[in-house]
Amino acid sequence: MSSSNVPKRSYGVDVSSYQSENTNYPNAKFVFVKVTEGTGYINPKASAQIRSAKSHDQLVAGYFYANHSSSVAKAKAEAKYAVTKAKALGVPLGSYIADDFEQGDGNYVYESASANTDAVLAAMSVIKEAGYKPLVYANASVLRNNLSVSRFVKNFGTCLWMASYKISGRQDHADFNYFPPMDGVAIWQFADNYRGCDVDGNINLVDLKISSDNHQAKSVKKSAESLSQHPVVRWDIGAVAVVSNSKGAYVYTDSKLTKRESDKLKPQGSLWQVFEIKDGAICVGKNQYMDGRAVYIKANPIAYNSDKHAVAKIVFDHTHALDAPKSDANKVYPLKLGSKVEIQGRVGRFLRIKEEYHGKTVYVTGNRAYIVL
């Protein structure tokens, strides 16, 4: 089972098809696996490398090699392709996905820094909406000259994966006397030949964590929140089914409930997104149904009516109230993790908060504050 928490100043590696399927490198506590490039390439070793990392108790993350240059549309498409394949290949939700933005092999970094940053931010937003933590990878020169570091930090906090080598060749340890000063660096790639293993060497400057509450998908592990009568979900999930039967519930492959998906019961308290109700059965996925008598259903009115009032719970640390319903809005004041706020409706994916700051209405982005049902 892979690690979900790696303390700062730990060593890690990043791998692609050029490396072995075995990720058991010396002292490597985390592994970034290349999953895709553009919208047509999948690393053929990715699945094996992800399995290897998990078997060696390494935190598993992913990255895609950008071909989008300064195109926002291409960046979104490539990020969507990457997160879809990352999920299928086994990169855990709540982990990290990086946009690898470097010159060559289909990518051009010498457009304006503003246009490049627009594209990468668009990709990072797709990554975040999919339930992963977004990073941008680039060398120090590209970050300084061809991207806007301040905009990344403003939108995503400590989210830079910076490459900068003291020498080209074998390095066994990171020399912080050489570390280039820069805000927002989460991971420093300090070597292109870590310990002579022909693999990039990295060191994390912040704790790396896989957060299971990072995403409300079809199924969520049992928790105090999901066992309660008031689970929390993203604003765009219209309804959920919570398993209420003390013995759990089966999932069936047909709405008549005649064919079980497996003989394993889903535990009481597990949370499932509702897609439709058919023949009295609850559809929770493609060809997946639950007996309506084994669950209770909670609806999310704000998903259908943007003028509805509700209560939202802050599910991410470093969340702020914003002065406008847009991704590049100014931060007004911090909102404490786990706190609840009353909302007066939403504007797109932004929730309008009842509390006013110096007479001005403020907002919180809907992927950081989940609706309490």
Side-chain angles (χ1 to χ4, degrees), residues 172-360:
D172 292 1
H173 304 284
D175 181 359
F176 277 89
N177 291 320
Y178 176 77
F179 177 76
M182 186 177 294
D183 292 336
V185 178
I187 301 171
W188 174 27
Q189 187 184 91
F190 65 90
D192 60 3
N193 187 3
Y194 177 59
R195 290 180 173 261
C197 297
D198 292 323
V199 66
D200 295 331
N202 300 272
I203 189 166
N204 55 321
L205 278 65
V206 296
D207 294 343
L208 300 180
K209 298 179 181 179
I210 295 178
S211 305
S212 60
D213 64 350
N214 208 24
H215 183 66
Q216 289 287 341
K218 290 192 304 180
S219 176
V220 179
K221 291 183 178 180
K222 186 189 295 186
S223 66
E225 192 73 44
S226 64
L227 280 170
S228 79
Q229 294 292 308
H230 302 286
V232 296
V233 298
R234 284 171 34 148
W235 69 268
D236 55 351
I237 292 180
V240 294
V242 184
V243 176
S244 55
N245 190 330
S246 61
K247 295 182 179 179
Y250 290 111
V251 175
Y252 298 83
T253 60
D254 66 315
S255 61
K256 300 294 185 182
L257 308 180
T258 60
K259 300 176 182 178
R260 288 180 188 168
E261 183 181 61
S262 75
D263 289 329
K264 186 176 181 180
L265 286 161
K266 305 304 177 184
Q268 181 186 26
S270 62
L271 187 65
W272 298 74
Q273 183 174 353
V274 175
F275 293 97
E276 66 172 330
I277 299 175
K278 184 177 180 181
D279 300 327
I282 312 302
C283 178
V284 294
K286 186 176 181 180
N287 299 323
Q288 289 183 303
Y289 298 86
M290 283 185 168
D291 189 332
R293 297 169 296 181
V295 303
Y296 68 83
I297 298 174
K298 302 283 285 189
N300 179 15
I302 202 168
Y304 304 102
N305 188 336
S306 60
D307 293 326
K308 288 289 186 181
H309 288 222
V311 173
K313 180 177 179 180
I314 307 302
V315 296
F316 285 124
D317 206 356
H318 308 300
T319 295
H320 285 76
L322 307 173
D323 66 1
K326 54 184 181 179
S327 59
D328 60 350
N330 292 320
K331 297 176 180 178
V332 183
Y333 57 86
L335 296 167
K336 186 178 179 182
L337 176 66
S339 64
K340 294 181 180 180
V341 293
E342 184 177 349
I343 56 176
Q344 294 184 315
R346 66 178 167 82
V347 180
R349 62 184 177 87
F350 292 88
L351 309 177
R352 188 169 64 247
I353 302 177
K354 179 180 180 181
E355 181 182 0
E356 295 186 350
Y357 186 77
H358 296 318
K360 184 177 182 180

Side-chain angles (χ1 to χ4, degrees), residues 59-264:
L59 183 144
V60 182
Y63 72 94
F64 71 94
Y65 191 101
N67 285 178
H68 57 67
S69 303
S70 62
S71 168
V72 168
K74 288 183 179 179
K76 289 181 177 180
E78 290 180 20
K80 185 175 181 180
Y81 183 69
V83 296
T84 299
K85 300 307 179 185
K87 290 177 187 177
L89 292 165
V91 178
L93 283 170
S95 187
Y96 302 81
I97 300 288
D99 183 341
D100 179 353
F101 191 78
E102 52 188 295
Q103 176 62 25
D105 201 18
N107 198 56
Y108 184 74
V109 304
Y110 299 114
E111 299 288 353
S112 73
S114 176
N116 288 341
T117 302
D118 286 345
V120 176
L121 284 173
M124 294 173 78
S125 294
V126 170
I127 292 166
K128 189 172 183 177
E129 289 292 332
Y132 290 102
K133 298 174 184 176
L135 299 172
V136 53
Y137 169 92
N139 66 42
S141 175
V142 169
L143 287 169
R144 288 193 183 101
N145 300 308
N146 308 107
L147 292 168
S148 174
V149 167
S150 62
R151 289 177 63 194
F152 292 126
V153 174
K154 179 181 177 181
N155 283 276
F156 294 104
T158 305
C159 64
L160 307 183
W161 178 10
M162 178 185 67
S164 183
Y165 309 145
K166 178 181 177 181
I167 61 170
S168 180
R170 176 168 179 162
Q171 293 188 76
D172 292 1
H173 304 284
D175 181 359
F176 277 89
N177 291 320
Y178 176 77
F179 177 76
M182 186 177 294
D183 292 336
V185 178
I187 301 171
W188 174 27
Q189 187 184 91
F190 65 90
D192 60 3
N193 187 3
Y194 177 59
R195 290 180 173 261
C197 297
D198 292 323
V199 66
D200 295 331
N202 300 272
I203 189 166
N204 55 321
L205 278 65
V206 296
D207 294 343
L208 300 180
K209 298 179 181 179
I210 295 178
S211 305
S212 60
D213 64 350
N214 208 24
H215 183 66
Q216 289 287 341
K218 290 192 304 180
S219 176
V220 179
K221 291 183 178 180
K222 186 189 295 186
S223 66
E225 192 73 44
S226 64
L227 280 170
S228 79
Q229 294 292 308
H230 302 286
V232 296
V233 298
R234 284 171 34 148
W235 69 268
D236 55 351
I237 292 180
V240 294
V242 184
V243 176
S244 55
N245 190 330
S246 61
K247 295 182 179 179
Y250 290 111
V251 175
Y252 298 83
T253 60
D254 66 315
S255 61
K256 300 294 185 182
L257 308 180
T258 60
K259 300 176 182 178
R260 288 180 188 168
E261 183 181 61
S262 75
D263 289 329
K264 186 176 181 180

Side-chain angles (χ1 to χ4, degrees), residues 27-47:
N27 292 334
K29 303 300 182 185
F30 61 92
V31 179
F32 275 78
V33 177
K34 179 178 180 178
V35 288
T36 60
E37 180 171 338
T39 55
Y41 171 85
I42 302 173
N43 171 14
K45 295 182 181 178
S47 180

